[in-house]
Amino acid sequence: MSSIIQLLPDHVANQIAAGEVVQRPASVVKELMENAIDAGATDIKLICKDAGKTLIQVIDNGKGMSVTDARLCFERHATSKIRKAEDLFDLHTKGFRGEALASIAAIAHVELKTKQEQEELGTHLIIEGSKFTSQEPAVLAKGTSFSVKNLFFNIPARRNFLKSDTVELKHVIDEFQRVAMAHPNIHFSLYHNGSETFNLPQSNLRQRVVNIFSGKTNEKLVPVQETTEIVEINGFIGKPEFAKKNRGEQFFFVNDRFIKSGYLHHAIMAAYEGLLKDGAQPSYFLYLQVPPHTIDINIHPTKTEIKFDDEHALYAILRSAVKHSLGQFNVAPVLDFERDATLDTPYDFQGKEAEFPTIQVDSTFNPFAEEKKPSFSSGGGSSSSFSFKPKKEVQPHWESLYVGLKESFEPEPDEPHEMQFESDVVTSSLFNDTEVEQSKTATYQIHKKYIVSPIKSGMLIIDQQRAHQRVLYEQFLTNITIHQASSQQLLFPLTFYFSGNEMALINELIPSLENTGFVFDAINPDSVVISGLPVTVSESEASIVLEQLISDLQDEIPESSFSQMDSMAKSMARSLAVKTGTYLTEKEQENLVNNLFACKENSVSPFNKPTFITLSVEDLDKKFSV
Ligand code: ADP
Ligand code: MG
């Protein structure tokens, strides 16, 4: 019988290996940037087109390659970084597998320009789908430039598998940031579709973090420093009050390599115990240096997971170092010797004299008087944002649900309303469109959670939070997709700071946000200035709404623009809906019920949970017949 086993041709083997190394444009970005760092570059420029699908170019000023190496580097298992198996246990470079360039060249059009410092001429070489198509000497500056074009041009299935540009760009930026954060002593820049997205000059660690995550970050950071025999820890943690809703600002670096570790994350969370609200995520940027022989980087092909020799000790040291910093920060001002003075003053206070604080008292204020508008009318602005709010339980956004209705003081919830509730004046009006408007629907709130309302056949029990989510969701969705909502003008514009990644998302959402009533005065690289808000959003809620929105959309960036609008409406409805535990006046209850039944789909919340149940008279009769 003839043998059937054959060795695969190199280009096929490379394509298969590429499946492991290159999942998406961001994988190429990581490999090329790491090679540039290993080559000793001090200036690394990343240029992308169409989120890297059309072009990824990395230009460095590192040591370059000789003519022979320029060709050899595309061979599989061709590396200058290790020579023997033992070297694997003493790694000082990012790369060592020698398969990245071979893999990339198998699935893209690659152009390499490289020159060593001592050489007169460099090499210009083109390789497409593992085939060299040209190689010639060229006049070049010292360093290397790799251009990777048309990724997956020869594997249409993989190309089709790529996500939208928004999603792929987010991955590219994530990768860029991780590499840049690990090497503050290198100048990095990123250009996408012709515009500069990041420009990070050489700096110290703190400045690098601040440059990536917006100027506001500086106030949030507390330094962490610990040196022991098995690990040296440096970096920063975020003050508890700045904790975020998502895990977008959590970074571990081990020997200058970004890693993921659920176990070490747990150590940090343990240190923050008792300091965070439920579900809040602290920021951390922590750099661990360990002896290279005590870790194994080899266990993961993309090398973001590593194995430590002594994980338990590391856990304990990390937890106590973080705890120590938090403690220091709570009891004493933190001395930070690495601090850059230019980052310290967010406002231009220099040369200004301090003013004595003054307290303004409205002597005409009488809490028992009828509601009236405050005397300082907002010049030209809508009065709703400044309306007088006598009851603090009433959420500001809540009022806008029934703008125009006269508000009056309501008795406290404990005072009995039962008589009114049990009357049958308004039975069935909920399901009769014409009657809903004028009728005085009797409603009753129980446990600051449910609204009970009698109907002809029995009664409705409505979940106030879910019902309001439904009402707001439909309102926002209509605003976003169909027409612009009106906005309330702010007397003083609000500035919110965001990281580069968050700004990229905000930029994309701006048209939809404007439709809901947000008015943007300025859109800067690291902040937005807002001069108008949707009528349903109060000033104090604006930052919560935006942060929640970013967090929701970052976790799962929607594919189509419709689903993006839908996710936006859901997110805003979730942040703004009246919560369980909020007392509602009778008017508020009534309006909620009416608004709910005016919705297109009133039986479920936007998150598919029932908004109300009915209890029929028969059900009640059955219960009493025992
Ligand atoms: P590895 O990084 O694992 O060695 P790669 O396939 O990424 O494997 O690169 C192969 C070799 O090409 C490297 O070992 C290095 O010698 C050379 N090389 C790659 N990129 C550069 C660069 N930007 N500057 C200088 N040499 C480079
Ligand atoms: Mg490499």
Side-chain angles (χ1 to χ4, degrees), residues 30 109 126 161 186 238 257 327 343 347 364 371 384 387 453 459 470 473 525 532 537 587 603 615 618:
K30 176 174 193 282
H109 298 143
I126 295 173
F161 193 68
I186 297 176
R257 196 190 288 279
L343 290 168
Y347 317 102
T364 61
E371 177 190 343
S384 71
S387 60
S453 177
M459 65 169 154
R470 163 56 63 183
Y473 166 72
V537 180
K587 266 222 164 80
S603 61
L615 210 55
E618 289 92 83

Side-chain angles (χ1 to χ4, degrees), residues 31-32 34-39 58 60 62-65 69 72-75 78-82 94-102 114 143-146 303:
E31 295 298 338
L32 296 184
E34 290 190 346
N35 279 346
I37 291 165
D38 285 344
V58 173
D60 70 51
K63 66 180 178 215
M65 280 182 269
D69 281 353
L72 255 182
C73 72
F74 293 106
E75 294 296 319
T79 180
S80 56
K81 298 169 193 175
I82 57 172
K94 307 266 160 198
F96 55 85
R97 293 169 170 259
E99 57 187 6
L101 292 178
T114 186
T144 302
S145 155
F146 274 101
K303 296 166 281 185

